Structure formats: C-alpha cells, structure tokens
Amino acid sequence: MGQLVTIDSNLDTNISAPPPVKHYQAYRPRPFTRAERETTTLLFGGLTWKHERLMQGALHNLKYNAEPLPNIAREDLDAGKELIDVGACCPTIFTTGNLVNYLKKKVDVYGKEETNKKYIYLTAGACGPCRFGQYHESYSMALDGLGLRDFRLFLLAQDELDQGETGGGGLDINVSLSLGLIWSILCGDVITDLEYATRPYEVNPGQTDAVLKDCVEYMYAVFNDRPDHGKKLGSVAWHLYTNYFTNALKEVRKKWDTIEVDRTRVKARVKITGEFWLQTHEGEGNYNIKKWLEAEDSEVVPPPVAVWLHYLMHPIMRQMEKRHSTSKHPKRDELILKAVERLYVATYNRFRKALGSIPNELPDQVELRDLAEPYYHFELRGGEGHMLIGKALYYYHHKKAHMICELSPYSCMPNTMSIGSMANVIGKYPDLLYAPIEVKGDAEVHALSRCQMILTEAKKRAQSEFEEVLTKTGLTVEAIHEYEKRHPELRRATYKVPHKGYSGTSANYVLHLAQDRGLARA
Ligand code: SF4
C-alpha cells in the first residue's frame, strides 16, 4: 500500500549551503629566487657561536649572505611562550622566541614588508616521534602571531647531501654546501673539545677564551676561502682527501701552544649528555651550566655534534642489514654506507690528530647501542634515543668521567623515557653518578642545586683518586712542579695526557709522569 506524503508549503526552502571545508595545509614558504640571493640574508642558529661562525664562513664562501641569530637569552623564553602552544618543549620555545625577538627588531627598522624580503630562516628538518619534526610549524605559528605570515622558512633535510635548488632556486643545497657545513661543524666540535680540556687548567685566567676567539676567526677565514671543486664528486673527493683543513687545524694548535696550564689542579670530570639542542647550547637556554660547572671546579666533557650525525647513519644501516629497504641493491648500499661511516670517523680522527689528539674520540655507535640495549631499545627513535643510556654507561665503564649531567628539557618526551630507564641502570650500577637536570628556562636555582648534590660526590672522587696516585707513585705536587720547570712542554695546553685508567685528568697526569716519563720519588 502506498503512503500519502503531504508537503507543508510553509517550509523554508531557502536553506543556505554549508561553508566550504577549509583543509589544513602545512606551511609552505614563498619562493626564494636566484635573483634575490644577493639581497637576502639567510639566518640560522641552534649550535654554539664557534660552530655558527665557521658555518657562516662556509656559506659566505658560496656567496650567500648569512648571519647566525644572536645567542639565546632569557627574554626569548618569554617571547616564545607568548606565541606558540603551551605544551611545546623548552628548546622549541627558546628557539622560536629567539627568531621572533630578532625579527621584531628588524621590523622596527625596516617594516614588515622589507623584513619579509630581506631575511630567510634556514633550519634543520626531520621527521620522527618528537617535536623536532614540527619546529617549523611552531615558527610559522609564531610568525603568524607577529603578522609575518609571508616570512620564509626553509628546511635542510639532515640525511641528503644533494637536495638541489630549493623553493625557487635561491638556495642550492648541493654537495659543496652540505660538506662545507658538515666540515665546519666537525672543526667546531674538535676546537670546542680542546677549549673545554684547557680552560679549567689555564694558569692565566682568560687566556683560553682569547686564543679561542683568535682561532675561530682564523678558521672562519679558512672556510670562507675554501677552494671551489664543483658541486658533485670533485667536491666529495677534495673534502675527503685534502690537507687544507688539517693544515689549518695545525695552525690552531700552534696558537694553542702559547697557553700555559697546570694539570695538578684536581677537577671533577663531568660528561654532558641530554637532548641535542640543550646539551650543545652554551648560554641562558641551559642556565649556562657548562660555565657554572667550570666555576665549580669541574672539567666539562662537551657533546660533539658529530656524535649526532654519526647516530643518524645507523638506522639506515640497520634497515639495509635486515633487508628492510626498497633498494634493489641493499647489500651494495649497505657496503657503501659502511664505507661512508669509516670515512666520516677517519675524517674526524684526522681533525683530532691535527690538534694533538686532545679532543675526545667519537664513541663507537654499536657499543653505545649494545650498552643501552638491556634498558632502552635502539629502535625507539626520537630525541637522542638510546644514546643517552649508552653514553652514560660508556663514560662510566671506560672511566672517562666522574659523573654524567643529563640536560632534559621540560616536556621532552624522549628524555622523560630515558630518565625512566636510567632508574633501572642506577639500580644495577649504584655508584654511577648521574644528575638528570630538568631545564624549564626559569628554574635555575632548583636545577643547579640538584646538579651540585651529585657534583659534591664527584669532586670527592676526583680528589681521592688523585691522592691515591700520589701515594702509589710517591710523588708530590711540589716535585711535579720542579720537574715541569725542566720540561716546559708539560705545561703547554697541547701536551697530550694519555688515559691511564682514571676518570680525572690530574690523576692520569701524575701516573703518566711516573710511568712514561720516569719521574720517580725523591
Ligand atoms: S628531543 Fe625533546 S626537547 Fe628536543 S625537540 Fe624532541 S621533544 Fe623537543
């Protein structure tokens, strides 16, 4: 039976159409054309002033206008908090605020339109489970808030040397540019290692910093004058086999020779680990903790950026080993990658050797993975992954530091996981001195006092191992200083003290004098 349907003629048939759906679109910069290169400045940041100055040399060499952002300051935290989402981790807040504060000043001088034209921000891009893959989204959110929607941000992928002309042809990410940047980072690393191994023992206060400035300016010129060997294979071969950089580092060593040190001063050796940005940074972003540790009678073992670049190679190598790759020739690719790794480590070692092998060697990535494996799976990516556990155990087992200071950003997911796993590690190795420091940017006293609690114990250990060696060898500090007068090379900052099984430099130094230089008790 059919149903009778009646239509109410009073119904309003004039229903308006729903508004069009506005889909989310990821940030995409306006093009940066080749014609704009001469009038546009590339901004970058995130490392130490030394690394950034050398990177600037590599960029100037390729005729880019390039300028590092000013070092992070406390006000950057406030500016970042105002403009990005509240759950962001502290490095994101600091670096976003840093860019924002810089651009605000430029807007005051040039206005918004000119600032958009004159500057570009270049940053490392990544994907992965932590916020590092979304930094640029935070930047674009903050720029929106500033009314600089048209400002251009470009991402440099970390795993491709040759990315070609990007976003309009103004930026050509070729092999020459990528290797220039990587080599400047490696040189920045070894010089930084030398700096931290010297300053705590310098006899004339301020001398290390003065020589350091001179050396960094010298190395800037070396990168700025780098000869052109093309954009592809010629450039790869030249970077790998030239003596250009090692000769320059030997000049740095000569300048460093002038610094007089006293290695009988007992210092606690503190290895810095933690989240990439926070551990690398030198400034208010991490409460100037490295400077503070030195003022508290410590020798800081800084974290080289090179370890992170080395770490990035290993997940790809594991994919190849397990044939989890779409490559048609996984075996061949695996062998190529292993050869690249060997060349990378060899290059780092050549740079170390040019500085008298005083900078620390890179830890073996497989050893880091194996040390961490019972506590933290190496396939858990994000942040520094298993390396935080691996490094703590590496420095502990090899007796290369008295304590580990792990810098953890507030609201960092990977670091929270690693600190949880470290509880298990400490259960197994209760004498491992480990200070996990949460950094929010505005709780300095709390963070430093936590560090001090562990540092007090580390200093006691440094002192007692020094006394143990003096007793064992029968030497005295006075006898050592008398001997040094006859052998002035021992007082040079470039004199290499071999590792003799102790964590502290002074204990190793005394044992070296007794065992290798024949200094005997009176
Ligand atoms: S590692 Fe932590 S602090 Fe660093 S970007 Fe990722 S979530 Fe943020």
Side-chain angles (χ1 to χ4, degrees):
M1 291 268 290
Q3 245 186 336
L4 185 65
V5 179
T6 54
I7 296 172
D8 182 350
S9 58
N10 292 328
L11 266 182
D12 183 5
T13 51
N14 196 17
I15 299 169
S16 56
V21 177
K22 198 170 171 228
H23 292 286
Y24 166 79
Q25 279 203 323
Y27 171 81
R28 203 180 254 187
R30 283 185 301 115
F32 166 41
T33 63
R34 177 67 192 81
E36 289 175 284
R37 198 186 281 178
E38 280 71 34
T39 53
T40 309
T41 300
L42 305 180
L43 303 173
F44 61 98
L47 301 178
T48 73
W49 67 272
K50 294 151 278 180
H51 292 88
E52 288 166 3
R53 183 70 174 141
L54 304 195
M55 288 166 77
Q56 190 180 27
L59 287 163
H60 283 173
N61 169 259
L62 295 173
K63 308 291 172 253
Y64 289 102
N65 297 319
E67 204 180 293
L69 287 172
N71 201 10
I72 296 280
R74 177 64 181 73
E75 307 85 80
D76 297 333
L77 185 73
D78 301 330
K81 273 185 189 163
E82 268 175 38
L83 290 162
I84 61 171
D85 56 280
V86 283
C89 52
C90 106
T92 322
I93 303 175
F94 263 119
T95 51
T96 307
N98 187 230
L99 177 64
V100 160
N101 277 340
Y102 181 86
L103 291 179
K104 270 184 188 165
K105 286 187 190 133
K106 295 296 164 192
V107 168
D108 289 345
V109 179
Y110 303 114
K112 285 184 184 168
E113 208 176 312
E114 268 301 286
T115 302
N116 281 338
K117 276 194 209 150
K118 280 171 97 69
Y119 296 96
I120 279 179
Y121 186 57
L122 198 58
T123 182
C127 60
C130 85
R131 296 177 183 92
F132 185 43
Q134 297 135 37
Y135 267 32
H136 62 288
E137 294 291 345
S138 294
Y139 296 142
S140 76
M141 186 192 243
L143 292 169
D144 244 356
L146 271 188
L148 292 175
R149 179 98 188 109
D150 279 346
F151 184 82
R152 288 164 291 181
L153 304 166
F154 283 96
L155 298 186
L156 268 177
Q158 295 184 91
D159 52 358
E160 264 183 87
L161 293 182
D162 197 354
Q163 297 164 42
E165 294 188 347
T166 311
L171 184 62
D172 183 5
I173 305 176
N174 54 47
V175 173
S176 177
L177 172 66
S178 299
L179 290 182
L181 293 177
I182 295 172
W183 261 228
S184 60
I185 288 173
L186 301 189
C187 287
D189 278 346
V190 288
I191 292 173
T192 300
D193 252 31
L194 188 61
E195 169 200 355
Y196 280 93
T198 306
R199 193 168 35 228
Y201 304 98
E202 68 184 6
V203 172
N204 304 308
Q207 194 182 6
T208 308
D209 287 346
V211 174
L212 176 66
K213 255 191 202 144
D214 181 27
C215 291
V216 170
E217 279 315 298
Y218 169 76
M219 288 302 290
Y220 161 81
V222 166
F223 277 95
N224 191 20
D225 299 340
R226 185 174 53 131
D228 180 10
H229 287 272
K231 297 179 179 179
K232 300 258 178 207
L233 279 179
S235 182
V236 175
W238 182 78
H239 278 88
L240 288 175
Y241 297 110
T242 180
N243 287 332
Y244 181 75
F245 298 103
T246 44
N247 286 342
L249 288 169
K250 283 179 191 163
E251 281 303 310
V252 167
R253 185 179 167 183
K254 275 190 206 153
K255 291 172 191 277
W256 218 267
D257 256 346
T258 56
I259 305 176
E260 188 187 353
V261 292
D262 177 4
R263 292 195 177 96
T264 59
R265 290 179 191 165
V266 182
K267 306 278 175 184
R269 226 167 170 248
V270 181
K271 171 65 191 161
I272 303 284
T273 67
E275 190 270 340
F276 174 79
W277 180 83
L278 207 55
Q279 62 169 346
T280 310
H281 176 66
E282 295 173 345
E284 293 178 18
N286 59 16
Y287 310 129
N288 272 307
I289 198 157
K290 294 175 194 167
K291 219 183 215 177
W292 177 83
L293 280 164
E294 284 189 358
E296 291 288 319
D297 259 344
S298 310
E299 177 189 338
V300 169
V301 184
V305 180
V307 177
W308 167 253
L309 299 177
H310 195 187
Y311 166 75
L312 290 179
M313 293 178 197
H314 274 254
I316 313 170
M317 281 161 70
R318 287 199 293 274
Q319 277 177 8
M320 301 286 177
E321 274 166 16
K322 293 179 186 159
R323 306 287 182 266
H324 292 167
S325 154
T326 50
S327 166
K328 284 190 186 142
H329 309 285
K331 192 69 205 158
R332 183 203 63 188
D333 292 353
E334 184 190 337
L335 291 175
I336 292 175
L337 209 54
K338 284 192 173 154
V340 169
E341 184 191 24
R342 275 199 293 277
L343 287 168
Y344 176 77
V345 175
T347 301
Y348 196 76
N349 285 339
R350 285 178 71 209
F351 291 175
R352 288 179 52 234
K353 199 167 163 217
L355 294 179
S357 297
I358 291 179
N360 298 293
E361 66 268 34
L362 294 176
D364 181 64
Q365 283 292 330
V366 174
E367 186 180 355
L368 290 184
R369 185 194 74 186
D370 292 346
L371 286 169
E373 197 167 357
Y375 312 96
Y376 199 102
H377 200 277
F378 55 85
E379 294 294 11
L380 278 172
R381 305 293 308 281
E384 292 237 329
H386 66 271
M387 276 208 297
L388 296 170
I389 316 290
K391 283 186 205 168
L393 286 168
Y394 178 91
Y395 281 84
Y396 169 77
H397 287 308
H398 289 281
K399 288 200 183 325
K400 296 216 167 169
H402 295 104
M403 78 175 251
I404 307 295
C405 175
E406 182 177 329
L407 301 177
S408 296
Y410 165 72
S411 169
C412 168
M413 294 173 282
N415 258 83
T416 309
M417 284 160 64
S418 104
I419 289 171
S421 307
M422 276 304 287
N424 198 0
V425 175
I426 299 297
K428 183 126 194 246
Y429 302 100
D431 59 334
L432 192 163
L433 294 180
Y434 169 67
I437 307 299
E438 191 187 59
V439 179
K440 282 173 72 187
D442 55 3
E444 181 171 351
V445 175
H446 175 70
L448 298 183
S449 71
R450 272 186 66 107
C451 190
Q452 201 154 33
M453 288 193 290
I454 309 291
L455 185 60
T456 305
E457 183 53 33
K459 286 202 258 187
K460 277 191 211 155
R461 286 193 192 177
Q463 189 62 39
S464 73
E465 65 175 21
F466 181 66
E467 282 163 16
E468 180 189 303
V469 183
L470 286 179
T471 311
K472 196 153 88 180
T473 57
L475 295 176
T476 62
V477 173
E478 293 70 33
I480 291 170
H481 287 328
E482 277 306 312
Y483 182 74
E484 285 172 340
K485 280 184 196 156
R486 298 194 301 279
H487 301 277
E489 74 279 7
L490 291 170
R491 303 272 290 187
R492 286 193 199 131
T494 49
Y495 184 83
K496 165 85 179 157
V497 177
H499 187 243
K500 308 293 280 181
Y502 284 98
S503 303
T505 299
S506 48
N508 283 316
Y509 179 58
V510 176
L511 200 53
H512 163 62
L513 294 181
Q515 287 184 344
D516 307 329
R517 306 268 313 201
L519 179 59
R521 65 185 77 204

